[in-house]
Amino acid sequence: MTPAADSGPARKDRTSPADDAGAVTAPPGPAPQPKNRRFKSVTGTRRSIALLFLLPTLVLLGALVVYPIGYSVVRSFFDQSGSSFIGFDNYETLFTRADTKAAINNNIFWVVLAPTVATVLGLIFAVLTERIRWGTAFKLVVFMPMAISMLAAGIIFRLVYDQDPEKGAVNAVWVGIHDTFAESSAFPKAHPRPNAPLAGKSGGPYLTKDPVKAGGNVLLPLVGVAADQMPGGAKPAKQATSAPNKVTGTVWQDFTLGKGAGGINNVDSTELGYPGMKIEAVKGGKVVASTSAAADGTFTLPASADGARLRLPASNFEEAYNGVDWLGDKKFFTIHLGGFDLYLNIVTTSIMVAYIWMWAGFAMVLIGAGLAGIPRELLEAARVDGATEWQVFRRVTVPLLAPVLAVVLVTLMINVLKIFDLIFIIAPGATQDDANVLALQLYRSAFSEGNEGLASAIAVLLLLLVIPVMWFNMRRLRREVRR
């Protein structure tokens, strides 16, 4: 190339230093889109096409969700028949009537206790099953109740909580433990005849009408125990042999009326003794001697019983322990909050146990999945730094599982707000009012009372209770997406 060529006019694609200095550089970033470009989704689908595909879902959502919610809100402001506008009267009834107040009270404890206990148990199970060989089998057993319907679970626990120890498994165990440390009486219905030498109030204690003397033979006849209820070790009664300086006697079932060699207040060979019956000698208001009857009803007291009155303590006639009424209305505690009392009763607690039995496995599986995703390096690093297993669990494992625990807790809280089946089936008619919850009260108000206005008010209240929980869950999910 010649020098003349270089001295010619500059090419259009080249700029002088002055031009470079005065030029404005465009900011980095994507090129601006034309204003008239139509909106498209990530997949390239136009908005109109997307709405067309969503239309059936939106119609169903409006018909099955939006319309019922709107109708319930409007209906809650009308009376039972739906013809008169009554404003907030149904909501006032909701917080003042006894049955609805009981439902609100029980729902508070359901929302607070049941999800918390189920989540804690799920966490414990998930952590422990990682440390045992048969963890998979244990998870299967714990999760198995989830395969049972609420109806079936209710029937199972209705039988488990039966008051009769011969039917109810819980009371069978409870009575067995009780009788191990406190033996039940074998003669709960025994009592003396009106003309017997014993006197006292029904259920005991019974005392001899006259003092006894050493060397004498005392007869203590009783009645009231059915033949098939007599203890298996009972033997035919016999009259005790008198002994000097001792008080002897017989306590027996005096049921023969004038037959054979016996008769009223007399020992008959066809009658049975009261084995194990406790006899006390009372003098001056103090027990000076005591003993128990033999299998044939005979007993012997020392010389110190001379001049005393014999007493059959009330413990001989106590009703057999029949366990706990797990479906009763007994209250554990009451919290007074102004004009509203919060209380937890035994029937609600028993039904919560059935719910936890079903849903602890659900919590365990979700928490176990979250636990499997925790980097093991963090746990090992904490152990290397000298942390104990409890510190690793509390300071490392639980904080890392916080998102999963929140999901489980919120899911169970929403679930218990809808609890209906277990309470309707497990709680007997006599205590169903004491176990009442809002979902059950909604059903009873709508279909038993025919009060659709109050039922709609309950439905609106349930919706208002669910919204904060859902809002918390959605907010947490958004935070997770941002991460």
Side-chain angles (χ1 to χ4, degrees):
M1 181 179 296
T2 61
D6 292 337
S7 62
R11 297 175 59 184
K12 293 182 179 180
D13 57 343
R14 299 178 62 182
T15 57
S16 64
D19 294 336
D20 290 340
V24 178
T25 305
Q33 299 293 334
K35 293 183 179 181
N36 60 348
R37 182 177 179 179
R38 294 183 178 181
F39 171 81
K40 289 187 178 182
S41 66
V42 177
T43 59
T45 306
R46 294 181 181 179
R47 179 181 296 176
S48 57
I49 302 298
L51 290 176
L52 184 62
F53 278 98
L54 288 175
L55 185 60
T57 303
L58 294 175
V59 171
L60 288 176
L61 186 66
L64 300 179
V65 178
V66 178
Y67 173 75
I69 290 175
Y71 179 81
S72 297
V73 172
V74 174
R75 186 66 179 82
S76 66
F77 295 108
F78 286 80
D79 63 356
Q80 181 171 346
S81 62
S83 58
S84 300
F85 181 82
I86 58 174
F88 290 92
D89 287 359
N90 286 321
Y91 293 95
E92 182 179 353
T93 302
L94 182 58
F95 289 98
T96 55
R97 212 169 76 172
D99 53 355
T100 53
K101 285 175 64 178
I104 295 173
N105 171 86
N106 292 332
N107 259 105
I108 291 173
F109 284 103
W110 268 99
V111 171
V112 172
L113 294 180
T116 304
V117 174
T119 303
V120 170
L121 285 178
L123 175 62
I124 294 173
F125 292 157
V127 172
L128 292 182
T129 50
E130 282 201 336
R131 301 173 177 271
I132 55 179
R133 290 183 178 180
W134 40 275
T136 303
F138 180 82
K139 288 181 178 180
L140 179 63
V141 172
V142 175
F143 187 75
M144 194 176 295
M146 282 293 298
I148 303 174
S149 68
M150 286 282 193
L151 175 63
I155 295 173
I156 291 171
F157 275 87
R158 179 67 180 269
L159 295 174
V160 167
Y161 288 132
D162 196 288
Q163 176 73 31
D164 187 353
E166 296 183 358
K167 299 178 182 178
V170 176
N171 262 344
V173 174
W174 193 267
V175 170
I177 295 173
H178 174 273
D179 291 348
T180 301
F181 300 97
E183 187 177 353
S184 299
S185 170
F187 318 103
K189 297 182 180 180
H191 61 276
R193 296 181 186 277
N195 58 346
L198 290 165
K201 62 181 181 179
S202 177
Y206 300 111
L207 284 86
T208 54
K209 297 177 181 178
D210 301 313
V212 298
K213 295 182 179 181
N217 195 13
V218 184
L219 298 179
L220 304 177
L222 296 172
V223 294
V225 181
D228 59 348
Q229 298 296 322
M230 288 293 291
K235 295 182 179 180
K238 67 178 183 180
Q239 191 161 338
T241 304
S242 300
N245 299 324
K246 291 184 179 181
V247 175
T248 59
T250 305
V251 55
W252 81 102
Q253 174 83 340
D254 184 27
F255 70 90
T256 304
L257 300 177
K259 294 182 179 180
I264 297 176
N265 298 336
N266 289 309
V267 178
D268 192 315
S269 60
T270 61
E271 298 166 341
L272 296 176
Y274 279 174
M277 178 72 74
K278 297 177 182 178
I279 301 101
E280 297 175 342
V282 181
K283 187 185 297 183
K286 295 182 179 180
V287 177
V288 296
S290 63
T291 188
S292 297
D296 57 5
T298 59
F299 62 89
T300 302
L301 290 166
S304 58
D306 182 46
R309 296 174 65 187
L310 301 188
R311 179 173 69 184
L312 303 180
S315 58
N316 289 316
F317 312 102
E318 290 180 352
E319 292 284 345
Y321 184 69
N322 203 36
V324 178
D325 185 7
W326 299 103
L327 301 179
D329 58 353
K330 183 179 179 180
K331 297 177 182 177
F332 287 131
F333 62 85
T334 302
I335 303 173
H336 301 285
L337 299 174
F340 191 81
D341 292 342
L342 282 176
Y343 58 86
L344 180 63
N345 52 35
I346 190 169
V347 61
T348 299
T349 307
S350 299
I351 300 174
M352 282 186 191
V353 171
Y355 177 87
I356 293 169
W357 174 76
M358 292 189 66
W359 287 88
F362 167 81
M364 178 194 67
V365 170
L366 290 188
I367 295 172
L371 195 62
I374 294 179
R376 299 302 168 186
E377 297 81 4
L378 297 177
L379 303 180
E380 292 301 327
R383 294 188 181 100
V384 169
D385 288 342
T388 63
E389 289 300 320
W390 170 247
Q391 289 174 328
V392 171
F393 173 76
R394 187 165 59 93
R395 299 291 182 86
V396 181
T397 304
V398 172
L400 291 175
L401 285 176
V404 179
L405 295 176
V407 170
V408 174
L409 189 62
V410 169
T411 302
L412 294 180
M413 288 176 68
I414 295 174
N415 187 268
V416 296
L417 284 172
K418 304 180 293 181
I419 193 71
F420 169 84
D421 328 50
L422 285 179
I423 298 165
F424 187 75
I425 297 167
I426 295 178
T431 57
Q432 197 171 88
D433 289 342
D434 300 288
N436 198 14
V437 291
L438 288 173
L440 178 59
Q441 183 59 38
L442 188 155
Y443 169 82
R444 295 168 70 176
S445 297
F447 298 103
S448 298
E449 303 174 18
N451 192 343
E452 294 183 6
L454 180 59
S456 298
I458 296 173
V460 173
L461 177 61
L462 282 173
L463 176 64
L464 294 177
L465 292 175
V466 170
I467 287 176
V469 181
M470 294 178 61
W471 175 81
F472 170 80
N473 202 25
M474 293 175 63
R475 186 178 179 186
R476 185 197 58 77
L477 289 173
R478 288 197 185 102
R479 285 202 301 265
E480 291 295 322
V481 170
R482 292 194 188 106
R483 291 178 186 176

